[in-house]
Amino acid sequence: MVTLAEVATHAGVSASTVSYVLSGKRSISAGTRQRVERSIQELGYHPNAGARALASNKSNIIALMVPLRTDMYVPVMMEIAIAVATTARTHGYDVLLLTGEEGPDAVRRVTGSGLADAMILMDVEMDDERLPLLRGTDQPSVLIGLPADTSGLTCVDLDFAATGALCVEHLATLGHRDIAVIGEAPGVYERHTGFAERTLEGLRSRARELGLRVLHRPCEGGYDAMTLTLARIFDERPDTTGFVVQNESAVEPLLALLRRQSRAVPEDVSVIAVCPDQVAVQASVRLTSVAIPAQEMGRRAVEQLVAKLDGRDTDEVVLLAPELTIRASTGPVSTLS
Amino acid sequence: MVTLAEVATHAGVSASTVSYVLSGKRSISAGTRQRVERSIQELGYHPNAGARALASNKSNIIALMVPLRTDMYVPVMMEIAIAVATTARTHGYDVLLLTGEEGPDAVRRVTGSGLADAMILMDVEMDDERLPLLRGTDQPSVLIGLPADTSGLTCVDLDFAATGALCVEHLATLGHRDIAVIGEAPGVYERHTGFAERTLEGLRSRARELGLRVLHRPCEGGYDAMTLTLARIFDERPDTTGFVVQNESAVEPLLALLRRQSRAVPEDVSVIAVCPDQVAVQASVRLTSVAIPAQEMGRRAVEQLVAKLDGRDTDEVVLLAPELTIRASTGPVSTLS
DNA sequence: GTGAAAGCGCTAACAA
DNA sequence: TTGTTAGCGCTTTCAC
């Protein structure tokens, strides 16, 4: 293993000079710099991460805590994680992958050991048990998601309330009066995961203003669950003509069932989804949708975190504005029936 | 920040004693151990990761390199990654998340800096450019996937050749003679990703032995691509009655299109998928399938790696035996037509 | 613009 | 069974 000392000898300078060439923390003459850089190349030197962490009290590692559960849409998680890792690298950080399994203990472990300089938490619940710990430490952190109380925390998320409102507005504009919301699995609501509840709130309050009726039904993914859910919806509200779906694994079953019931999309019923663009485009009907900007969320989270680490001021809450893309699954309500 | 020295003072012992209590590398009297453990508790001590890494020349970190691309089935990747992280923790390791973006450079960086003790590579291609580097270093590594030349490498993967054979056997037993294989996106084959080609080889060679005809078509996911692919298949081989699908985002489109063409599953055509059980169960027809054991793959990869790190012998190639689960999408070929 | 040297917190010989 | 001590490779004062 090549050490900094060896580089110094090889270049005919002192260890500190090599260190400063690397860090750029003091000016170096052009000649010296070149010789040092040449030696680094020739010897294939890589600074030792442990030594660096010990001496500088910085690990250059960001911890990312992903949920262990997989009842939520996994590709979104993965896309966020990859965006986090990619963006972190551009700022000189590596990413440590923690699962939710350890829970609050992981926060303590990482904070206490100096393993990571900062952390990003995904899948934050409204009243998350990790939050007190984060508030009580000086380790910078960013949440992807929005808990009930954001004081003292930095959060990045899609503005789900605005998302819900946007969906309902679009349907209202098309003349729909009875809206059914097909939501995430019941467990998601029971855990009080922020995004699901906020979508619903935004949607309901806008619907109230616009005078629309809303029926909300959580739904496990898959065909069997969807069959039941859909039957109940039409049973309770036969005049439903607009659907808002926030559950990727319910999208295709819903479309298939509607087809089977000879309800044409968008002639008889309109469907709008909250999902990644890829899902909207690949569905059997190209779906009008509000996109979940997974990459953007991961990227912004890292940028907020790096700003904190650099001692720059950060926003407390970054809410990304939802964007509606109109495709082939929504249309004006039928005037014939 | 609490240091080992502070714990030592608090417990009235020397630093090394505290260290040995932690590592268990020499026997400690019960009394001393208790006092030390008590001090650790009281002071809330966590060993400093950097210092430990520097002194012991071990980071207790495993690097996991995930593909940047997302044209493959992402949930499988995520499930593997989570299984890796979870299993690694049970062995005292943390996981560093690297994306494929840096390519071979990431291998150099991690190896050279001592950031990680070992690495796991996912999405290995037949002739992967990272392999020479791995062979040339003494850093232990495990591949998830199987390259063309496995010499000097440890690999974990599903036995995809056996998987392909198993699919074809099942269809043959049911009397099908003309088989269509709907594969991954063309890009996957162009990159010569091992698993896709091996499935095909296993399938073809068994089909030859059994005297079946096989038509293979790569397919991007989604409905549009599937429509085209399916049309071509029936155009070229009108007598096709058996489908093998190895592409999660083609599964549902295929089923929907068959339905639309009034080809009943499994009465008219049989469909067997290579996919995670969850996908098979949630599809609109419960699919006969060979499971992709994502968790098992992640777990085994870590276990192989830990064995190497502990200096134990390891298998060169661990091929997990495929398991066929018969569900509702396959049946005997119709004798009426 | 450069060098010398004192740690950072821990591990693991070597001693006792 | 326990203590003493010399590093691990780097960063960063302090000195020139």
Side-chain angles (χ1 to χ4, degrees), chain B residues 17-18 22 26 31 62 69 75 79 100 115 137 139 171 186 198 205 214 220 225 242 246 259 320:
Chain B
T17 297
V18 177
L22 254 30
R26 77 181 184 193
I62 291 173
R69 279 176 266 94
E79 211 177 323
L115 232 186
T137 182
Q139 181 151 54
L171 291 175
R198 283 183 288 127
S205 87
V214 170
E220 305 278 357
Q246 182 173 211
R259 215 175 288 130
L320 305 179

Side-chain angles (χ1 to χ4, degrees), chain B residues 128-146:
Chain B
D128 202 292
E129 53 177 350
R130 297 165 298 188
L131 302 187
L133 274 170
L134 292 181
R135 290 202 177 89
T137 182
D138 54 341
Q139 181 151 54
S141 60
V142 169
L143 314 185
I144 296 183
L146 214 54

Side-chain angles (χ1 to χ4, degrees), chain A residues 278 282, chain B residues 70-73 180-191 195-196 200 204 215-233 243-255 257 274:
Chain A
Q278 208 203 344
Q282 286 210 347
Chain B
T70 45
D71 59 347
M72 296 195 23
Y73 194 55
V181 180
I182 295 168
E184 300 281 359
V188 174
Y189 295 91
E190 281 154 21
R191 287 204 309 277
F195 80 96
L200 209 54
R204 282 208 171 112
L215 183 67
H216 169 243
R217 287 288 172 266
C219 181
E220 305 278 357
Y223 282 82
D224 296 347
M226 192 64 237
T227 306
L228 232 70
T229 304
L230 193 59
R232 292 215 186 114
I233 288 171
F243 285 87
V244 178
V245 192
Q246 182 173 211
N247 180 338
E248 283 79 0
S249 59
V251 163
E252 206 49 56
L254 174 64
L255 294 174
L257 288 169
V274 180

Side-chain angles (χ1 to χ4, degrees), chain A residues 200-284:
Chain A
L200 209 54
E201 281 164 24
L203 190 151
R204 282 208 171 114
S205 86
R206 196 83 186 87
R208 212 172 300 124
E209 292 168 17
L210 297 168
L212 304 200
R213 304 215 306 159
V214 170
L215 183 67
H216 169 243
R217 287 287 171 266
C219 182
E220 305 278 356
Y223 282 81
D224 296 347
M226 192 65 236
T227 306
L228 232 70
T229 304
L230 192 59
R232 292 215 186 114
I233 288 172
F234 279 122
D235 194 45
E236 194 163 340
R237 298 274 171 87
D239 295 335
T240 300
T241 59
F243 284 88
V244 178
V245 191
Q246 181 173 212
N247 180 338
E248 284 79 359
S249 59
V251 164
E252 207 49 55
L254 173 63
L255 294 175
L257 288 168
L258 289 173
R259 215 175 289 129
R260 204 174 294 177
Q261 299 180 4
S262 300
R263 302 185 195 257
V265 174
E267 291 79 7
D268 301 327
V269 297
S270 285
V271 176
I272 177 168
V274 180
C275 67
D277 274 332
Q278 208 203 344
V279 173
V281 174
Q282 286 210 347
S284 54

